[in-house]
Amino acid sequence: MCYRNSLCKVPVLILSFFQHALNSGIRRYHVAPVLCQRAKVAMSHFEPNEHINYEKLEKNINIVRKRLDRPLTLSEKIVYGHLDDPAKQEIERGKTYLRLRPDRVAMQDATAQMAMLQFISSGLPKVAVPSTIHCDHLIEAQLGGEKDLRRAKDINQEVYNFLATAGAKYGVGFWKPGSGIIHQIILENYSYPGVMLIGTDSHTPNGGGLGGICIGVGGADAVDVMAGIPWELKCPKVIGVKLTGKLSGWSSPKDVILKVAGILTVKGGTGAIIEYHGPGVDSISCTGMATICNMGAEIGATTSVFPYNARMKKYLGKTGRADIAALADEFQQHLVPDSGCQYDQVIEINLSELKPHINGPFTPDLAHPVSDIGAVAEKEGWPVDIRVGLIGSCTNSSYEDMGRSAAVAKQALAHGLKCKSMFTITPGSEQIRATIERDGYAQILRDVGGLVLANACGPCIGQWDRKDIKKGEKNTIVTSYNRNFTGRNDANPETHAFVTSPEIVTALSIAGTLKFNPETDYLTGSDGKKFKLEAPDADELPKLEFDPGQDTYQYPPKDGSGQHVDVSPTSQRLQLLEPFDKWDGKDLEDMLILIKVKGKCTTDHISAAGPWLKFRGHLDNISNNLLIGAINTENGKANSVRNALTQEFGPVPDTARYYKKMGVKWAVIGDENYGEGSSREHAALEPRHLGGRVIITKSFARIHETNLKKQGLLPLTFADPADYNKIHPVDKLSIVGLADFAPGKPLKCIIKHPNGSQETIMLNHTFNESQIEWFQAGSALNRMKELQQKSS
């Protein structure tokens, strides 16, 4: 791509390149390609021959702007700029399905297993777009970074070998265990203004902090993109969040999203992109913007994004990508919203008035000012003593985050204090770990009582071998994580988890109680004198260059066709996939109800993480956790449902297996926002594998609804939400009208009660024509194979 006759800038770029190469360590750079291709800029140092194509983005935007004849939001520019056919694509926010061509794919190791197994099943020789695998989910927090990493490599050797060899064979970059958390690695190396990236993790929107449209999906969606097939997304609405004022004191970027979560709730962003704009944006660092976008997943948003600005340019330069920043400068008009663009909803937040927040317990949208949480906890009967404080995670593990936490810790140490609570630190990447070790932050955090864990997800996703309490013991933890559903962090349903900023976690851990407000309250030093913590101040980026640490990246070979990928038929961790059965052309009659779910049912409830992560590559084994966390309306219990054929109560997966053995189809009835939370498609694969056919709810979370469709299930919603109360666990259901299944056309559900009476209700769906073909073929993967066979 040329610089539009701006070749005079090339020498400056080359000089900038060499300066960063010398300062940061030459292993991260590819000098020869840049010198040979002066007019082109690589998407990443790791893929020197894959170039940013802003000219295509510009061309598509201009086509769509002419068609729509109105100003465009930033979200629209990037999304419509990646349309497969911008001239003919029907575009209506919230209604039409867009066919898109994302720039790249990223997969974390827990979801990459199933994604790569599906890609292998497709029969294709190589991925069509740049793709990466990141080993971050399978490392359990136990003793500390190095020991936990060694243990994980030993326990997960079979899985890591599979992912490494599959990556080599199919052209996928492989980030080894210890590299860091996927979203931090993407921000440091792969995200850039205007990119469209899809990732097999719900917190992929983290990349929006660098001006990209980064969307969390299931593995089957990733396979579409890796296979070179246009990816479908319902045209998102756009919610604008106008930021005014300026962050200061104890208030942080985390407080912005905690406030927004309290306003919109866990489903308020469903079907929409959250687009931040306004003069307040410039007071937030690039990594702070990433924090805000990351946790947008907790409000159900498709993704979140910030406009390109000087803070992003500064971050790109510091991470060795000044050439990308220079190119983005030239195309900046396409990387910010048009003046006068219209949002579907606007929220305004004055950052100068924003107070530190803490959200929870049990849901990330229960927002409280830190100043109020102690009194609220006492009133509600929540434990006020804090057992553990945990900082880090994909949401808050930047250099700035660690620096602000260290600034708080340093003050406590100066007065002879250490943390009263247990305290853990999770660096976001090997680069962050190495840099905070070099700059002394890690040692300060250790000195105040902290334990530095491996560069991995750890306790944030339930990978925590917690020893300080027994299961069932009521207790409180505070974290800088993103998600705090029941049992999420430690599998204990009585753990009250609260989410806040890293510096607030650090202050509360020093005090040991939720009743401490660092803005107003005093601590007592070892000398008996009272003192107040000052608001933390820290550099957003290191003064020196980042220390890249150990080299943890495996390049895919130019030709991986000779690479062998091992999947043992006797493995308990990996299992090749068998195609799901096709629709038989008939209505679904007399289905039993496996479970009618009461209340919140996240993907954690449907397919638990923690110890089950080791089975993410083995569909049959992991199906033994199907819906074990969901509450049954019939008895108010988890993992206890009535077997309609034997009348005995038993575990949910056992009952599902019995129905499958007897050739009986079954359905699940769910409540509001069914399937919120993580992107894990196992929550869709498992019911399909065990004989499920239909999931009927009041409403679905976006990713989970798509995942269900991809696996050939029918996700349907009550036309009248009150009809949820008409169905009882002992009823039988029939879905009729499937022979005339069409977009926008409701389906009928006949409810057969045990007394012989019947009633009919209407069910809505969001299937389009191609998605109906997925259902008819048995899965999206089956349909892909059918199309390949026809074309060949």
Side-chain angles (χ1 to χ4, degrees):
M1 182 181 300
C2 70
Y3 277 107
R4 294 176 172 180
N5 300 321
S6 298
L7 294 179
C8 59
K9 297 189 178 184
V10 171
V12 177
L13 292 177
I14 295 173
L15 267 175
S16 172
F17 172 83
F18 276 117
Q19 184 63 51
H20 285 292
L22 290 169
N23 290 340
S24 302
I26 203 71
R27 76 164 176 84
R28 297 198 299 154
Y29 299 88
H30 304 268
V31 179
V34 174
L35 291 174
C36 295
Q37 301 170 5
R38 290 183 175 181
K40 295 183 178 181
V41 175
M43 295 169 69
S44 165
H45 302 309
F46 298 99
E47 297 143 357
N49 297 316
E50 299 286 348
H51 303 110
I52 296 174
N53 196 345
Y54 280 150
E55 289 179 334
K56 181 179 179 182
L57 184 79
E58 180 178 59
K59 180 181 178 181
N60 285 5
I61 290 171
N62 289 339
I63 291 171
V64 172
R65 181 184 278 111
K66 186 175 180 180
R67 287 181 56 201
L68 298 183
D69 192 27
R70 61 172 173 79
L72 300 177
T73 66
L74 170 60
S75 307
E76 290 181 305
K77 288 182 179 182
I78 303 176
V79 172
Y80 304 160
H82 286 83
L83 286 170
D84 182 50
D85 187 353
K88 297 179 181 178
Q89 171 71 60
E90 187 179 356
I91 299 171
E92 186 175 357
R93 286 186 195 171
K95 292 187 177 180
T96 58
Y97 277 85
L98 308 178
R99 291 166 63 84
L100 301 164
R101 293 283 186 178
D103 297 302
R104 62 181 310 118
V105 171
M107 299 167 279
Q108 42 97 331
D109 52 354
T111 51
Q113 295 171 64
M114 196 56 68
M116 292 309 296
L117 286 166
Q118 290 178 86
F119 189 81
I120 291 170
S121 182
S122 75
L124 296 169
K126 190 175 182 179
V127 295
V129 300
S131 303
T132 51
I133 294 169
H134 304 259
C135 294
D136 62 356
H137 272 56
L138 299 179
I139 303 169
E140 185 179 51
Q142 190 180 66
L143 301 173
E146 292 184 9
K147 293 179 180 178
D148 293 346
L149 181 58
R150 285 198 300 270
R151 180 169 172 264
K153 287 179 177 178
D154 181 53
I155 292 173
N156 302 307
Q157 182 180 8
E158 180 186 15
V159 171
Y160 292 147
N161 178 63
F162 166 72
L163 293 174
T165 55
K169 184 173 182 65
Y170 297 105
V172 179
F174 180 70
W175 287 86
K176 301 171 187 176
S179 301
I181 305 172
I182 177 173
H183 311 303
Q184 183 71 30
I185 298 288
I186 289 171
L187 199 71
E188 292 172 354
N189 299 282
Y190 297 113
S191 186
Y192 59 84
V195 71
M196 175 172 274
L197 178 152
I198 71 165
T200 60
D201 188 277
S202 56
H203 292 102
T204 300
N206 191 80
L210 202 42
I213 291 293
C214 304
I215 302 175
V217 300
D221 276 343
V223 171
D224 279 355
V225 180
M226 291 191 292
I229 295 172
W231 173 61
E232 290 191 351
L233 175 73
K234 181 179 277 190
C235 187
K237 295 183 178 181
V238 187
I239 297 174
V241 178
K242 183 178 181 180
L243 302 179
T244 60
K246 183 178 181 180
L247 285 174
S248 62
W250 285 92
S251 296
S252 72
K254 186 65 164 281
D255 298 307
V256 176
I257 186 58
L258 294 177
K259 178 72 173 180
V260 171
I263 295 169
L264 288 177
T265 77
V266 291
K267 65 174 184 175
T270 302
I273 293 175
I274 311 297
E275 183 173 314
Y276 294 86
H277 63 283
V281 165
D282 292 336
S283 76
I284 304 173
S285 67
C286 178
T287 52
M289 290 186 264
T291 291
I292 294 167
C293 292
N294 177 293
M295 201 175 156
E298 290 4 287
I299 54 177
T302 301
T303 191
S304 301
V305 68
F306 278 82
Y308 176 61
N309 67 1
R311 305 299 280 268
M312 294 182 191
K313 182 175 182 176
K314 184 177 180 181
Y315 182 79
L316 285 167
K318 205 67 172 180
T319 52
R321 294 175 288 170
D323 51 351
I324 294 179
L327 188 61
D329 284 346
E330 294 208 15
F331 288 84
Q332 186 165 9
Q333 63 174 316
H334 303 303
L335 305 174
V336 296
D338 286 341
S339 176
C341 67
Q342 296 297 307
Y343 297 100
D344 294 283
Q345 178 183 351
V346 176
I347 297 167
E348 187 164 338
I349 296 175
N350 185 339
L351 300 179
S352 300
E353 299 174 354
L354 183 64
K355 288 293 187 179
H357 272 62
I358 183 168
N359 287 22
F362 306 127
T363 186
D365 60 347
L366 186 56
H368 320 272
V370 171
S371 57
D372 297 347
I373 189 62
V376 173
E378 286 190 323
K379 179 183 177 182
E380 297 293 336
W382 305 331
V384 295
D385 291 337
I386 298 168
R387 296 296 290 267
V388 190
L390 307 99
I391 66 169
S393 84
C394 66
T395 315
N396 276 112
S397 56
S398 68
Y399 184 83
E400 181 182 30
D401 289 328
M402 295 296 152
R404 285 174 67 87
S405 295
V408 175
K410 194 173 182 179
Q411 295 179 61
L413 290 168
H415 289 84
L417 295 187
K418 291 190 174 185
C419 291
K420 287 186 179 179
S421 309
M422 291 175 60
F423 186 50
T424 70
I425 302 98
T426 305
S429 68
E430 170 60 9
Q431 179 167 276
I432 293 296
R433 183 208 64 78
T435 306
I436 66 172
E437 287 287 0
R438 181 197 68 192
D439 293 352
Y441 291 168
Q443 191 56 50
I444 291 170
L445 295 171
R446 288 193 193 95
D447 289 345
V448 85
L451 174 66
V452 179
L453 301 175
N455 314 322
C457 300
C460 183
I461 60 162
Q463 283 284 57
W464 185 15
D465 186 18
R466 190 177 179 189
K467 301 292 188 184
D468 65 298
I469 60 161
K470 295 179 180 178
K471 190 169 183 178
E473 183 180 342
K474 197 173 180 180
N475 74 103
T476 283
I477 65 174
V478 292
T479 82
S480 69
Y481 301 164
N482 44 47
R483 202 161 271 167
N484 59 345
F485 300 134
T486 303
R488 166 81 177 183
N489 304 120
D490 61 3
N492 179 12
E494 290 300 323
T495 292
H496 293 56
F498 295 85
V499 176
T500 186
S501 68
E503 52 265 46
I504 294 293
V505 171
T506 306
L508 293 179
S509 298
I510 292 165
T513 175
L514 287 177
K515 296 170 71 175
F516 178 69
N517 177 9
E519 288 192 300
T520 58
D521 296 344
Y522 286 79
L523 295 168
T524 303
S526 60
D527 59 1
K529 295 180 180 179
K530 292 186 178 296
F531 71 97
K532 196 170 85 168
L533 294 170
E534 297 295 327
D537 186 31
D539 295 330
E540 65 180 281
L541 295 165
K543 289 183 172 64
L544 302 174
E545 298 303 312
F546 277 108
D547 183 341
Q550 299 179 40
D551 187 354
T552 54
Y553 180 71
Q554 172 187 293
Y555 289 87
K558 290 183 178 179
D559 181 6
S561 58
Q563 175 71 52
H564 181 66
V565 180
D566 284 325
V567 179
S568 169
T570 60
S571 172
Q572 293 301 301
R573 298 287 302 269
L574 298 164
Q575 182 186 46
L576 293 174
L577 297 174
E578 295 291 333
F580 289 130
D581 59 307
K582 292 183 65 171
W583 176 56
D584 62 7
K586 301 177 182 177
D587 288 336
L588 296 168
E589 297 184 344
D590 293 334
M591 291 181 294
L592 299 179
I593 297 171
L594 178 66
I595 183 173
K596 181 181 179 184
V597 178
K598 178 182 179 181
K600 185 183 285 286
C601 189
T602 71
T603 48
D604 283 296
H605 293 86
I606 304 167
S607 176
W612 293 94
L613 282 172
K614 61 178 173 286
F615 296 127
R616 284 285 181 87
H618 197 293
L619 180 55
D620 194 56
N621 281 346
I622 199 170
S623 293
N624 289 322
N625 75 2
L626 174 64
L627 286 158
I628 61 176
I631 301 301
N632 181 11
T633 56
E634 188 173 6
N635 56 13
K637 295 180 179 180
N639 202 26
S640 175
V641 295
R642 183 194 301 271
N643 184 321
L645 302 180
T646 67
Q647 297 304 310
E648 297 177 354
F649 278 85
V652 182
D654 293 1
T655 307
R657 287 188 186 277
Y658 186 84
Y659 291 164
K660 181 179 180 180
K661 179 182 177 181
M662 302 304 292
V664 176
K665 297 180 177 68
W666 50 264
V668 170
I669 308 301
D671 212 317
E672 293 277 7
N673 207 30
Y674 183 90
E676 68 175 281
S678 296
S679 66
R680 65 193 68 158
E681 66 180 336
H682 298 77
L685 283 158
E686 292 173 32
R688 183 72 164 97
H689 175 63
L690 294 185
R693 286 294 182 269
V694 180
I695 314 291
I696 306 172
T697 72
K698 293 180 182 177
S699 63
F700 285 99
R702 174 191 63 86
I703 298 176
H704 186 60
E705 181 179 22
T706 301
N707 287 347
L708 291 168
K709 292 177 183 178
K710 287 278 185 177
Q711 304 308 332
L713 283 150
L714 278 177
L716 306 172
T717 56
F718 296 104
D720 180 357
D723 287 344
Y724 168 88
N725 298 315
K726 294 180 178 179
I727 298 178
H728 305 286
V730 293
D731 293 336
K732 291 183 179 181
L733 304 179
S734 295
I735 306 298
V736 298
L738 289 176
D740 300 317
F741 194 15
K745 185 177 181 179
L747 293 168
K748 290 183 180 179
C749 175
I750 299 173
I751 308 169
K752 297 181 180 180
H753 301 297
N755 62 7
S757 63
Q758 296 185 11
E759 54 187 318
T760 300
I761 61 173
M762 301 304 295
L763 301 174
N764 292 331
H765 64 84
T766 60
F767 282 80
N768 62 20
E769 290 180 359
S770 63
Q771 293 169 348
I772 290 173
E773 291 175 354
W774 300 345
F775 167 73
Q776 293 169 340
S779 71
L781 186 58
N782 287 359
R783 180 58 178 159
M784 181 197 298
K785 291 179 180 178
E786 288 179 355
L787 294 173
Q788 286 173 355
Q789 289 169 357
K790 287 181 180 178
S791 65
S792 62

